[in-house]
Amino acid sequence: MAGLPEDTIAARLASLSGWERVGDVICRQFTFPDFKAAMAFANRVAALAEEANHHPDILIEYDTVTLTLSSHDVGGLTERDFRLAARIQA
Amino acid sequence: MAGLPEDTIAARLASLSGWERVGDVICRQFTFPDFKAAMAFANRVAALAEEANHHPDILIEYDTVTLTLSSHDVGGLTERDFRLAARIQA
C-alpha cells in the first residue's frame, strides 16, 4: 500500500475527531476515569489492531492512553492508518 | 514516602537487571516475539501495578514494551519504584 498524498491525508484527518497529525504519524490522547479503564481501552484497541494486522503504538500513563498510528513499511500514512483510527473512534 | 538519596538509588539500581536511570525515572525495554505477547506482558504489569497502587508508564510498540517508573508525587524515585521494578522482573 502506498503512502497517501497530502490532500488525501488532510481529507481523511478532517473526517476524524481529535486526531492530530505530527509529521508521518497521526496520534490522539484518550482520557479515562482511572488506570483500569485506560487498560481496558488499550485492550480493546489491541483487539482491533490484531484484527486489522496493523498496530498503533500505545502509551498508557495512568488514566491517559496515547495512540500513534503510522505505516512504518512505507514510512508514511496510508489508508490502513485512517481505517484503524476510524474503527477505534467507533 | 520521600525521594531516595543518590547512593540508595545507585544501590537499588545495581540490584535490578536491565533498568536504566534517566533523570527522575527508571525505565526498561522488554522485547517479545509479537504484539500479542507484548500485550500479555503489559497486562501482567498492569495487574502488579494495581496491586501496588503504583503505575508505571507503559509504552507498547508492536513487540516491545517500555516501562517507565517514577514517583510523581515526590518528583523523584522512591522505594515504591524499585519494589515494583523488582516485582515486574520476578
Side-chain angles (χ1 to χ4, degrees):
Chain A
M1 191 174 284
L4 293 172
E6 284 300 319
D7 56 346
T8 309
I9 290 175
R12 293 287 181 280
L13 201 54
S15 75
L16 295 171
S17 170
W19 290 79
E20 188 186 355
R21 183 187 177 186
V22 184
D24 285 339
V25 308
I26 55 172
C27 52
R28 185 176 164 186
Q29 280 198 346
F30 300 79
T31 301
F32 298 91
D34 57 21
F35 177 74
K36 197 182 280 260
M39 275 305 299
F41 174 72
N43 279 293
R44 289 196 299 275
V45 168
L48 291 174
E50 283 287 88
E51 267 180 44
N53 194 27
H54 192 53
H55 302 82
D57 293 345
I58 304 172
L59 171 63
I60 302 136
E61 296 167 294
Y62 192 61
D63 61 354
T64 302
V65 179
T66 305
L67 302 180
T68 303
L69 270 164
S70 183
S71 294
H72 300 288
D73 46 347
V74 305
L77 290 160
T78 64
E79 294 289 3
R80 301 175 77 195
D81 298 306
F82 290 99
R83 265 204 306 264
L84 184 54
R87 290 211 61 193
I88 289 166
Q89 197 162 286
Chain B
M1 192 173 284
L4 294 172
E6 284 300 319
D7 55 345
T8 310
I9 290 175
R12 294 287 182 280
L13 201 55
S15 74
L16 295 171
S17 170
W19 289 80
E20 188 186 356
R21 183 185 176 188
V22 184
D24 285 339
V25 308
I26 55 172
C27 53
R28 184 176 165 186
Q29 280 197 345
F30 300 79
T31 302
F32 299 91
D34 56 22
F35 177 73
K36 197 181 280 259
M39 277 304 300
F41 174 72
N43 279 293
R44 289 195 299 277
V45 168
L48 292 174
E50 283 287 90
E51 267 179 44
N53 194 27
H54 192 52
H55 301 82
D57 294 343
I58 304 172
L59 171 62
I60 302 136
E61 297 166 292
Y62 192 61
D63 61 353
T64 302
V65 178
T66 305
L67 302 180
T68 303
L69 270 164
S70 184
S71 294
H72 301 287
D73 47 348
V74 303
L77 290 160
T78 65
E79 294 289 3
R80 301 176 76 195
D81 298 306
F82 290 100
R83 265 205 304 264
L84 185 54
R87 289 212 61 195
I88 289 165
Q89 197 163 285

